[in-house]
Amino acid sequence: MRATILIFLSFLILNPLFAQTTTVNYSASAADILNPERGFYRPTITFSSNHAPLDSATIANWRIPYTPWQATYSVATTLVHRYYVLDDFVTSPISASYLAAIQADFDEARKGGAKLIIRFSYTNTAPTGTCGNWICPPYGDATKAQVLQHIAQLKPYFQTNKDIILAVQMGFIGVWGENYYTDYFGDASVSPFILTTTNWEDRNEVLDSLLNAVPLDRSVQVRYPQLKQRLVYGTGAPTLSPSMVLSEAYQETQKARIGFHNDCFLASADDFGTYADYGPPVSQSDTINLKPYQEADTQFVPMGGETCSAYNPVDDCASAGGRADTEMRRFHFSYLNSDYNNAAVNNDWDGVCLDDIKRNLGYRLLLVNGTFPNTASPEESISINLTLKNDGYAAPFNRRGAEIVLRNAASGDLFFAPLDNDPRYWFSGTHSITQTLCLPPNIPIGSYDLLLNLPDPEPSLFDNPLYAIQLANSSMWESSTGYNDLGHTLTINSNAAGTACSGDLVFTSISVYDPAYCPDILNINGTVSTDLYLAGDRIISDGTINTNNHVLYQATNEIELELDFEVKLGAQFLGYIKACYEID
């Protein structure tokens, strides 16, 4: 009886030790964090008649603070707006040599660590004349047939280079590609100031063609909210057409893929016709319907732009009687032109709200606290609890990886477990992330640092820290790896008595996002060890998964299990038909 009591007492004393957790509180940083797909952008323009190529060294230098044109402030950037003026090809196909030059630009952007916002136009010159306006036709853009031919030529370049494309702007139509002053698609600047049903049909055909050319997981941005409404709901759609709701976001539909850019932000009551109904039957300003429409929609799609004219005091900071910073938050701005209209507008923000704007354009992710286990044994579940805050104006809108990384403090060996959580849903505000993860039976005993990795999931960028997200916390960022150090050590030993794994996501020796582990065809035979197995096309297996092993197969198109394939009692096996970088 005495022995029994002693054993029972030992259980009471030791078990709380194994279940013990530590909560780490994190300090926020006030720095302007240089992160991908957000912030002030550097504008660049090139003409096919006189091409000025991008240069990776110059792009890399833009990551160092510089003073924009006519600015009183400095910025650093990971974004480049690339304007291609096809002035040589208004009536002809784009030449093979110029397509090669465009590809070379994409290659330089990738080497320089930038993402591109892309727009094509045929003229960026405002022609004068005797029409009584400051700009007169003919404007010099291309016919619909020519535009559609060019989009078809550009499609393979969009597809091949989607990794460094933030978004493609609709462009093509009119001077500056702003879809307004145009020879062929309806000129709303002249009486009766109305776009006809035929004009809308032609514009829809261009937008539809561009959406088909751009990869499904990238957006096309339009200059006016009504352009999206008239494609999604038809040429007669009213301005009170409904915006997106949460369940429609990120579904790769046209509705989910059309974003916005406002190139006359805060320039007038309706931003120089941005929020206007161009008919038929009448043409009129409509901020009452179109602003709320865009406000709701931009929670899920990319939004950015530039200022274009002074409109005091509206274009000032909120604290100075304007609404520049509050409007950017309202419309979920992720980027802004660093070089345009500084003297008239942006410089007025300097010393007032500019530092907040620089910090909060796009997402600004930071951890508040995290709770982690102190000890665990192989083949046990551990629970990770994170409180994350987004102080930015928007959430990340392109696909983004998220994984917990265990790094052996002695050997440096890495184990990865994807978080079942999509950063695109980390909207402004606070988020709680709780996930149970499984330690594999083959993980070595030792001490492990816990890290959070938010990589770009594209294979070409996954292991490049320039494209990973840095949290807005002090003393967490590892610039050499792109990891955020969670400030906690997990001790893995053989004595802990936690909960056995049961269908949880398993830590594996590879990251689900790592392209080096994603061959087109993977043959798996013999004894299959605990791990994640990826294939770009299909997996073929006749192996055996032994008791207590946890195996995940993930292939883009097919998993073929042969007759000799065997999963023994007590083993776990999961198969996913997904692309290498996709997770549940």
Side-chain angles (χ1 to χ4, degrees):
M1 182 67 179
R2 182 177 180 182
T4 303
I5 293 173
L6 287 174
I7 293 171
F8 181 64
L9 288 175
S10 295
F11 175 79
L12 288 177
I13 293 169
L14 293 176
N15 196 51
L17 177 64
F18 300 137
Q20 186 178 2
T21 60
T22 295
T23 296
V24 181
N25 296 309
Y26 300 102
S27 298
S29 168
D32 175 18
I33 304 295
L34 195 65
N35 263 323
E37 301 188 331
R38 60 154 302 275
F40 278 88
Y41 70 70
R42 182 77 178 220
T44 65
I45 185 170
T46 187
F47 296 77
S48 60
S49 59
N50 185 23
H51 181 61
L54 290 177
D55 173 69
S56 59
T58 302
I59 291 170
N61 282 335
W62 290 337
R63 301 178 70 90
I64 302 170
Y66 64 91
T67 301
W69 180 62
Q70 293 188 331
T72 59
Y73 58 91
S74 64
V75 297
T77 187
T78 66
L79 290 178
V80 175
H81 187 288
R82 191 57 168 163
Y83 231 136
Y84 289 99
V85 183
L86 303 175
D87 55 336
D88 270 355
F89 307 114
V90 178
T91 59
S92 64
I94 304 172
S95 67
S97 61
Y98 199 64
L99 289 172
I102 292 172
Q103 179 59 58
D105 275 356
F106 292 163
D107 294 338
E108 290 298 302
R110 188 178 294 107
K111 287 191 290 186
K115 291 273 182 132
L116 298 178
I117 305 161
I118 300 170
R119 190 193 305 183
F120 289 86
S121 66
Y122 296 96
T123 175
N124 278 34
T125 301
T128 57
T130 59
C131 66
N133 198 358
W134 70 281
I135 180 172
C136 293
Y139 301 111
D141 58 338
T143 65
K144 181 179 71 172
Q146 192 63 75
V147 170
L148 295 177
Q149 182 189 52
H150 287 165
I151 291 173
Q153 287 185 277
L154 291 164
K155 179 175 181 176
Y157 297 89
F158 294 147
Q159 298 287 329
T160 301
N161 298 284
K162 73 169 184 175
D163 57 337
I164 48 89
I165 294 175
L166 178 144
V168 178
Q169 296 180 342
M170 183 175 171
F172 292 102
I173 297 172
V175 185
W176 307 289
E178 285 201 56
N179 285 245
Y180 196 74
Y181 301 106
T182 170
D183 297 326
Y184 300 102
F185 293 86
D187 184 1
S189 71
V190 300
S191 180
F193 313 108
I194 292 172
L195 297 181
T196 67
T197 298
T198 299
N199 297 152
W200 284 114
E201 289 171 348
D202 289 341
R203 289 165 184 250
N204 280 356
E205 193 171 348
V206 170
L207 181 52
D208 180 73
S209 176
L210 193 56
L211 284 163
N212 287 332
V214 172
L216 285 173
D217 53 359
R218 291 297 182 269
S219 297
V220 173
Q221 293 179 291
V222 296
R223 176 66 181 85
Y224 307 98
Q226 197 176 36
L227 283 166
K228 179 171 182 175
Q229 291 179 330
R230 292 291 169 98
L231 180 72
V232 172
Y233 296 107
T235 56
T239 54
L240 49 71
S241 297
S243 56
M244 270 198 296
V245 295
L246 183 62
S247 61
E248 297 173 306
Y250 317 122
Q251 298 302 306
E252 298 186 346
T253 62
Q254 290 188 332
K255 188 175 187 179
R257 295 178 57 220
I258 301 175
F260 307 93
H261 63 99
N262 183 346
D263 290 356
C264 272
F265 180 58
L266 297 177
S268 71
D270 67 356
D271 291 356
F272 284 2
T274 298
Y275 302 104
D277 178 356
Y278 290 100
V282 296
S283 180
Q284 59 190 349
S285 178
D286 189 353
T287 59
I288 293 176
N289 289 311
L290 290 173
K291 281 194 172 185
Y293 168 81
Q294 191 175 71
E295 177 184 358
D297 234 48
T298 52
Q299 187 174 11
F300 313 111
V301 295
M303 174 69 181
E306 63 188 18
T307 59
C308 80
S309 182
Y311 185 47
N312 295 316
V314 173
D315 59 15
D316 292 333
C317 302
S319 59
R323 55 174 190 256
D325 43 347
T326 54
E327 287 285 275
M328 286 185 214
R329 185 171 291 278
R330 176 186 179 186
F331 293 107
H332 308 98
F333 266 64
S334 284
Y335 66 76
L336 202 69
N337 190 341
S338 68
D339 277 25
Y340 191 60
N341 213 42
N342 285 310
V345 181
N346 300 21
N347 286 344
D348 293 343
W349 307 337
D350 194 9
V352 188
C353 66
L354 183 62
D355 286 344
D356 286 338
I357 291 171
K358 288 198 289 186
R359 282 189 291 261
N360 295 330
L361 280 169
Y363 58 85
R364 185 175 178 83
L365 305 176
L366 63 150
L367 285 178
V368 178
N369 56 59
T371 301
F372 314 103
N374 294 333
T375 61
S377 289
E379 207 175 355
E380 284 185 2
S381 292
I382 62 171
S383 183
I384 302 291
N385 298 278
L386 299 173
T387 301
L388 179 141
K389 189 178 182 184
N390 184 357
D391 281 341
Y393 300 150
F397 45 79
N398 284 331
R399 193 186 301 277
R400 175 62 51 176
E403 60 187 0
I404 296 292
V405 182
L406 297 180
R407 183 171 59 202
N408 189 292
S411 67
D413 290 343
L414 301 172
F415 290 83
F416 305 87
L419 286 175
D420 189 13
N421 210 283
D422 190 334
R424 291 177 297 181
Y425 292 90
W426 295 349
F427 308 118
S428 298
T430 302
H431 303 268
S432 294
I433 300 170
T434 299
Q435 189 159 337
T436 301
L437 301 169
C438 180
L439 296 173
N442 60 343
I443 190 169
I445 301 302
S447 296
Y448 288 80
D449 299 323
L450 267 69
L451 309 116
L452 177 64
N453 186 26
L454 300 171
D456 193 302
E458 291 298 324
S460 59
L461 306 179
F462 155 74
D463 59 356
N464 188 337
L466 296 179
Y467 291 95
I469 289 179
Q470 175 183 352
L471 296 177
N473 292 99
S474 302
S475 305
M476 291 182 67
W477 178 243
E478 294 185 356
S479 59
S480 61
T481 64
Y483 298 157
N484 296 276
D485 190 340
L486 294 175
H488 182 72
T489 299
L490 172 67
T491 299
I492 297 179
N493 57 43
S494 58
N495 300 320
T499 303
C501 295
S502 178
D504 307 313
L505 286 170
V506 182
F507 279 98
T508 65
S509 61
I510 64 171
S511 167
V512 70
Y513 308 105
D514 193 336
Y517 295 92
C518 191
D520 285 340
I521 299 175
L522 183 62
N523 286 282
I524 306 172
N525 306 306
T527 300
V528 185
S529 301
T530 292
D531 222 327
L532 170 65
Y533 298 86
L534 300 170
D537 181 21
R538 60 185 174 134
I539 293 174
I540 304 168
S541 180
D542 64 358
T544 298
I545 304 175
N546 289 326
T547 300
N548 297 328
N549 279 5
H550 306 265
V551 173
L552 289 83
Y553 287 176
Q554 184 167 320
T556 302
N557 294 315
E558 182 181 7
I559 297 174
E560 183 179 329
L561 303 178
E562 303 293 300
L563 290 176
D564 292 336
F565 179 78
E566 182 180 7
V567 180
K568 292 191 174 181
L569 183 66
Q572 293 187 30
F573 170 72
L574 293 172
Y576 292 110
I577 301 298
K578 291 178 179 289
C580 284
Y581 58 79
E582 292 182 338
I583 60 169
D584 277 332

